[in-house]
Amino acid sequence: MYLSRFLSLHALWVTVSSVMQHYPSVWGHYDVCKTQIYTEEGKVWDYMACQPEARDMIKYVKVTLDPPDITCGDPPETFCAMGNPYMCNNECDASTQELAHPPELMFDLEGRHPSTFWQSTTWKEYPKPLHVNITLSWNKTIELTDNIVITFESGRPDQMILEKSLDYGRTWQPYQYYATDCLDAFHMDPKSVRDLSQHTVLEIICTEEYSTGYMTNSKIIHFEIKDRFAFFAGPRLHNMASLYGQLDTTKKLRDFFTITDLRIRLLRPATGEIYVDEQHLARYFYAISDIRVYGR
């Protein structure tokens, strides 16, 4: 009986060892999972690196704003409509729930066409810059699995930097620059992720792709995680084992897709023009209705 058990265990070990020889060190510290797939030869096992399920990380975020009094409504303030910048009869009032725009409205569950949003004060102190830092903290390490998506209700900013931290906010490094004019704003030539390659995937770029002003169909800014994954896993991300192998053996690449904190640095609001209209400064402010961060 014991010999029978021993022979069964030995056969199992030989089988597992044989399988692992085909996948020697691709996944490193990842466990190995398998699933059955259908091929021309019939039903076979497909082996892959096990991964925790990706989830919506915004559910666990802590948000802080700098300056802390940058949210509109205290005192009450009038601002211009987003679709018509010369119709300035909208009000922000922190003491009235229907007119308040606190930071938590960046993370409510209203979907892609919301009526609730966080809003900053207007650019009433122009020409002093209207700068806002929005810091998202998780107090844990997150591996990003999908694009970071920010939805603006004020028109996308003329200048913005997305930054990341790997040490809980002690130090920061840029993730991507956004501007209507990259050369003027950040002394960088404009690029898109499509200009990158597997060898330049870690390059920090400035993009003009997401910086249009008042356009109803141009509200969203992306940080393109999946487009960078595609350099390793293929256009449809079919070869994820290749990506996991690269992440496991290349620390710089793994760190690139890993965060503990994100910071959105808003440097210049959407103006929709070259010159600021100093007679209508209530046209200029920041408003964000949704932020999406998925990871594990």
Side-chain angles (χ1 to χ4, degrees):
M1 174 173 151
Y2 292 105
L3 179 60
S4 173
R5 285 186 181 177
F6 173 79
L7 290 174
S8 298
L9 289 171
H10 178 71
L12 176 62
W13 171 248
V14 169
T15 302
V16 171
S17 298
S18 175
V19 167
M20 291 308 295
Q21 286 175 6
H22 291 87
Y23 305 91
S25 59
V26 174
W27 299 300
H29 66 268
Y30 298 106
D31 294 328
V32 177
C33 292
K34 64 180 182 177
T35 184
Q36 284 190 321
I37 61 173
Y38 291 89
T39 68
E40 293 179 356
E41 290 76 28
K43 191 162 50 173
V44 299
W45 288 108
D46 181 39
Y47 293 86
M48 68 202 75
C50 296
Q51 288 291 315
E53 184 179 354
R55 59 183 65 190
D56 182 359
M57 289 296 164
I58 290 300
K59 296 178 181 178
Y60 314 101
V61 75
K62 175 186 175 184
V63 59
T64 55
L65 271 62
D66 180 30
D69 59 350
I70 197 64
T71 300
C72 68
D74 186 18
E77 187 176 359
T78 300
F79 61 95
C80 302
M82 296 164 191
N84 184 350
Y86 292 100
M87 189 173 71
C88 301
N89 56 2
N90 295 317
E91 188 176 0
C92 180
D93 185 348
S95 64
T96 305
Q97 183 175 357
E98 294 76 12
L99 301 176
H101 297 285
E104 55 265 30
L105 295 184
M106 289 186 274
F107 312 111
D108 57 354
L109 302 176
E110 283 203 327
R112 295 194 60 182
H113 302 287
S115 59
T116 61
F117 47 89
W118 165 79
Q119 183 175 310
S120 74
T121 58
T122 60
W123 206 357
K124 55 192 174 184
E125 296 185 14
Y126 178 85
K128 179 183 176 181
L130 184 60
H131 288 177
V132 183
N133 287 339
I134 302 170
T135 302
L136 311 180
S137 303
W138 284 274
N139 198 32
K140 62 180 64 179
T141 300
I142 296 171
E143 179 186 288
L144 298 172
T145 59
D146 207 336
N147 292 354
I148 297 168
V149 183
I150 307 168
T151 305
F152 285 85
E153 294 298 318
S154 55
R156 298 180 289 193
D158 285 353
Q159 297 176 14
M160 178 188 125
I161 308 173
L162 183 66
E163 296 179 328
K164 61 169 285 187
S165 176
L166 265 172
D167 55 11
Y168 306 97
R170 287 188 287 274
T171 61
W172 295 90
Q173 54 191 288
Y175 238 167
Q176 192 149 291
Y177 296 85
Y178 302 81
T180 53
D181 188 331
C182 285
L183 200 57
D184 178 66
F186 301 115
H187 309 291
M188 300 172 69
D189 291 325
K191 284 188 178 181
S192 74
V193 176
R194 293 182 294 275
D195 299 318
L196 301 178
S197 68
Q198 188 176 119
H199 299 293
T200 60
V201 69
L202 303 184
E203 181 180 347
I204 308 302
I205 65 171
C206 178
T207 179
E208 298 175 358
E209 190 171 350
Y210 303 108
S211 300
T212 343
Y214 287 97
M215 295 177 64
T216 55
N217 62 341
S218 300
K219 294 183 175 183
I220 295 176
I221 281 180
H222 284 261
F223 179 70
E224 306 92 339
I225 293 292
K226 283 192 168 180
D227 286 346
R228 290 171 168 84
F229 281 175
F231 292 125
F232 303 95
R236 297 186 180 180
L237 304 184
H238 285 327
N239 189 9
M240 292 303 287
S242 174
L243 171 65
Y244 295 144
Q246 292 286 341
L247 292 176
D248 197 55
T249 57
T250 311
K251 184 178 185 301
K252 286 184 178 180
L253 186 65
R254 184 170 67 249
D255 286 350
F256 185 83
F257 295 112
T258 303
I259 62 171
T260 59
D261 306 74
L262 281 173
R263 184 161 66 185
I264 304 165
R265 292 184 58 198
L266 305 172
L267 303 179
R268 182 180 172 90
T271 60
E273 58 213 1
I274 298 175
Y275 301 104
V276 172
D277 183 356
E278 297 185 40
Q279 303 302 313
H280 298 89
L281 292 176
R283 295 175 57 185
Y284 310 119
F285 53 90
Y286 306 107
I288 296 177
S289 60
D290 191 43
I291 300 176
R292 299 185 186 185
V293 180
Y294 281 85
R296 48 175 155 253

